[in-house]
Amino acid sequence: MSRKLTLIAFVVSLGGFLFGFDAGIISGVMSYAGPEFNLNDLQSGWVVSSPSFAAMISMLFAGRLSDIIGRKKILIIVAFLYAISALFSAYATSYEMLYIARMIGGIAFGAALILAPTYIAEISTSENRGKLVSIQQLNIVLGFFAAFLSNYYFNKYNTSGTSTLTDATVWRWMLGVELIPAILYFFGLFFVPQSPRWLFANNKVEKAKIILFQIHGKTIADAEIKSIEDHIKLEKIVSKVKIKDLLKPALRFILIVGLVIGVLQQITGINAVYFYATSIFKQTGIGTDAAFSSGVLLSTITVIFTFVAIYLIDRMGRRPLLLIGTAGIAVSLLLCAYGFSKATYQLSSEEIVSLNKIDSSKLEPFTNKIYDNDLDFKNEIKLALGNQVYAKNEGDILEVATNINATLVLVGILGFIACFAFSLGPVMWVLLSELYPIKYRGLAIGVIGFVNSFVSWAVQQVFPWELSNFGNALSFLIFGVIALFGFFILLKILPETKGKSLEQIERELVTV
């Protein structure tokens, strides 16, 4: 595998870095922006989830549009939209302006998440396709890592009493720094070639051959050219495709597989954990500062296990990684549910006095009262203090009141993140880039991406309400049971695509 090929894959998948950065940043942003705009649960959920809502619309059109005008051109537009989103998010003066700016970013990452793996699969060989497409997921988790690290330092300098950062401005800096990688992404895309398989599909054969020779060298390029040309003889690739064509009996099995994986990746709650990481860690009672630093630990684990996936995906295969990872996700989520179910909450008079940012007289009625679940405790304290005051001080309140095995919950969350990082995270995009014939690939990935983003949006939108109405233990129990069911479904239907050319996969899985 040449360095040039790896570099191209890395640049193209920088859109994944920006997605990860945005997802990680917002968990810290909402600790400040939520109280500043006095957002309720549904409004907080919408600020966090609105990019996913925009992304699911974008995914419907981006794949097909890229089939018509090319992957590269759409990706350049994507990078520009990322930059616009970062700028306007940082200068948001209202709740409405903030979510609209974030929706612009959602349009960008919706397109990027499906086009990058599609492009990379089309420039790769069967031997290295899994590794190269996994670079997309690596960039996503590097984005998470950069975001959580950025949040940690911004929060640290904000609480240190500097005049530059305040609760009213720190979140704007958190959002604004995304402009830097967005600009780098924009200019980097001008140096990558067009997809050679897309060029073949659009009768630009000589240009496609030149690119294949430049990327792979003569020997490998000749083999790739022969494989593509043999496949083109079987069908007219540039024919128009409609959504209803995906319902053909020949495509039914791979469509079901794609939809199951697309739904399972999000319905187990991964983006709820990422987007609300700081809030979730606060629920364990470790405090605001520790919650921000735990986010760095979370993203570090993600990066490490994504490298594990890249190493194993072309050795072990897609199916074993997905099955082992999904089983681990189920166990980890159920562990979190158990840990939260055993928690108790109590405020002593000394602890109430220590909360010097709060009128202690409002908390005195709760002195030494023991709660056996977070739901009753938080609702009563919120009622006494008001939503805005509680939101600003939630981390401090839970830190002194919570009696929980925080280590158990932390192990569960990190186990969930680790298992996701070597399975559903990268493997889904690899499989989607492999399963579908090139004639249907852009449309099929777009449709599954739409479903994936819809589920992601729904989970993010509902999660703050879920925590407020179901509590921590039941919320994680629901995710864990869903993951368990998902494991048994995958066990029955999941195919293996390791080491096969895109054309060979089509011959085996697309029934005539």
Side-chain angles (χ1 to χ4, degrees):
M1 186 165 64
S2 68
R3 290 183 180 178
K4 183 173 184 178
L5 187 58
T6 305
L7 181 61
I8 290 171
F10 187 83
V11 171
V12 168
S13 58
L14 277 175
F17 177 91
L18 287 160
F19 165 72
F21 192 88
D22 183 83
I25 277 292
I26 199 64
S27 68
V29 167
M30 294 310 294
S31 295
Y32 297 103
E36 177 168 335
F37 292 128
N38 194 23
L39 304 181
N40 59 36
D41 288 338
L42 290 178
Q43 288 173 325
S44 294
W46 181 243
V47 169
V48 173
S49 69
S50 56
S52 293
F53 184 85
M56 70 182 181
I57 306 300
S58 171
M59 284 178 170
L60 272 182
F61 299 101
R64 186 63 187 133
L65 196 58
S66 75
D67 289 340
I68 298 170
I69 67 174
R71 323 301 193 204
K72 179 178 174 178
K73 289 179 181 178
I74 300 297
L75 286 170
I76 290 172
I77 296 171
V78 160
F80 179 75
L81 291 177
Y82 268 127
I84 294 296
S85 173
L87 196 61
F88 280 84
S89 295
Y91 282 97
T93 56
S94 66
Y95 158 67
E96 292 78 12
M97 184 175 175
L98 179 59
Y99 77 69
I100 290 171
R102 286 180 49 73
M103 287 181 80
I104 294 172
I107 293 171
F109 77 64
L113 285 181
I114 63 170
L115 293 185
T118 299
Y119 173 94
I120 295 169
E122 291 175 355
I123 65 169
S124 308
T125 65
S126 59
E127 290 78 16
N128 57 36
R129 189 173 57 246
K131 294 187 186 72
L132 289 172
V133 175
S134 296
I135 291 177
Q136 159 99 336
Q137 185 66 19
L138 175 62
N139 264 315
I140 291 175
V141 301
L142 287 174
F144 279 120
F145 178 79
F148 283 118
L149 195 64
S150 174
N151 275 348
Y152 171 74
Y153 281 108
F154 274 121
N155 182 70
K156 179 181 178 181
Y157 287 112
N158 177 49
T159 55
S160 65
T162 63
S163 57
T164 306
L165 297 176
T166 65
D167 285 0
T169 62
V170 65
W171 63 271
R172 299 182 184 277
W173 285 96
M174 288 176 175
L175 290 169
V177 293
E178 189 177 341
L179 182 63
I180 298 171
I183 291 173
L184 292 174
Y185 183 41
F186 179 78
F187 286 107
L189 285 169
F190 285 95
F191 295 94
V192 303
Q194 290 180 299
S195 162
R197 278 183 167 83
W198 180 85
L199 290 170
F200 265 106
N202 287 271
N203 297 319
K204 299 178 181 180
V205 176
E206 292 307 314
K207 189 173 182 180
K209 289 180 178 179
I210 291 171
I211 291 172
L212 285 169
F213 283 124
Q214 290 174 341
I215 294 174
H216 298 296
K218 187 176 187 311
T219 303
I220 297 176
D222 283 339
E224 289 294 301
I225 290 168
K226 184 178 186 307
S227 177
I228 295 169
E229 288 180 334
D230 287 346
H231 185 64
I232 290 175
K233 291 176 184 177
L234 299 177
E235 62 175 328
K236 186 174 176 58
I237 296 181
V238 293
S239 60
K240 292 184 179 180
V241 178
K242 299 177 182 178
I243 289 181
K244 67 179 183 180
D245 293 335
L246 297 178
L247 302 178
K248 292 178 178 179
L251 301 175
R252 187 173 298 155
F253 174 70
I254 56 175
L255 183 63
I256 290 172
V257 171
L259 286 171
V260 167
I261 298 171
V263 170
L264 189 61
Q265 192 204 49
Q266 294 299 330
I267 205 168
T268 50
I270 184 62
N271 278 343
V273 173
Y274 274 137
F275 284 49
Y276 297 100
T278 302
S279 175
I280 291 171
F281 284 125
K282 284 180 184 178
Q283 307 304 312
T284 66
I286 62 176
T288 299
D289 291 341
F292 274 91
S293 61
S294 294
V296 177
L297 176 61
L298 180 151
S299 57
T300 302
I301 294 293
T302 306
V303 172
I304 292 170
F305 280 90
T306 300
F307 276 112
V308 171
I310 292 173
Y311 178 78
L312 292 177
I313 194 165
D314 285 322
R315 290 175 171 83
M316 183 181 291
R318 288 57 158 155
R319 180 180 165 90
L321 283 180
L322 268 180
L323 292 176
I324 294 170
T326 305
I329 286 170
V331 171
S332 299
L333 288 169
L334 294 174
L335 189 65
C336 289
Y338 176 79
F340 278 120
S341 71
K342 296 299 180 182
T344 58
Y345 303 83
Q346 181 181 10
L347 285 170
S348 67
S349 55
E350 293 81 6
E351 289 166 342
I352 291 173
V353 172
S354 70
L355 298 169
N356 49 37
K357 295 180 181 179
I358 301 173
D359 182 356
S360 58
S361 64
K362 293 183 178 180
L363 293 178
E364 286 176 1
F366 304 100
T367 304
N368 294 326
K369 186 176 180 180
I370 300 175
Y371 296 83
D372 61 4
N373 68 84
D374 63 299
L375 196 56
D376 292 339
F377 174 76
K378 288 187 290 186
N379 285 342
E380 291 195 20
I381 299 297
K382 194 180 295 184
L383 189 64
L385 297 178
N387 181 68
Q388 191 168 25
V389 173
Y390 176 81
K392 284 184 176 179
N393 297 278
E394 182 180 55
D396 294 334
I397 294 170
L398 291 174
E399 182 178 9
V400 298
T402 305
N403 179 23
I404 191 175
N405 188 339
T407 302
L408 184 67
V409 175
L410 184 62
V411 167
I413 291 175
L414 294 181
F416 170 41
I417 294 299
C419 291
F420 183 90
F422 72 76
S423 62
L424 281 170
V427 179
M428 185 194 86
W429 294 111
V430 173
L431 276 173
L432 292 187
S433 70
E434 295 175 328
L435 287 176
Y436 303 100
I438 190 169
K439 180 178 179 179
Y440 303 99
R441 189 172 301 142
L443 181 61
I445 295 178
V447 169
I448 293 169
F450 170 84
V451 174
N452 177 267
S453 280
F454 176 80
V455 176
S456 174
W457 166 76
V459 170
Q460 295 165 47
Q461 178 65 40
V462 169
F463 192 65
W465 177 90
E466 191 177 1
L467 286 179
S468 295
N469 290 273
F470 292 166
N472 299 321
L474 182 55
S475 296
F476 278 91
L477 179 63
I478 291 170
F479 288 138
V481 170
I482 290 172
L484 194 60
F485 276 109
F487 168 79
F488 288 108
I489 294 172
L490 289 180
L491 187 64
K492 184 173 180 60
I493 70 169
L494 192 64
E496 181 58 83
T497 58
K498 180 187 73 169
K500 301 173 182 177
S501 71
L502 297 179
E503 291 73 29
Q504 182 183 355
I505 293 169
E506 178 177 346
R507 287 193 298 270
E508 293 180 2
L509 297 181
V510 178
T511 57
V512 179

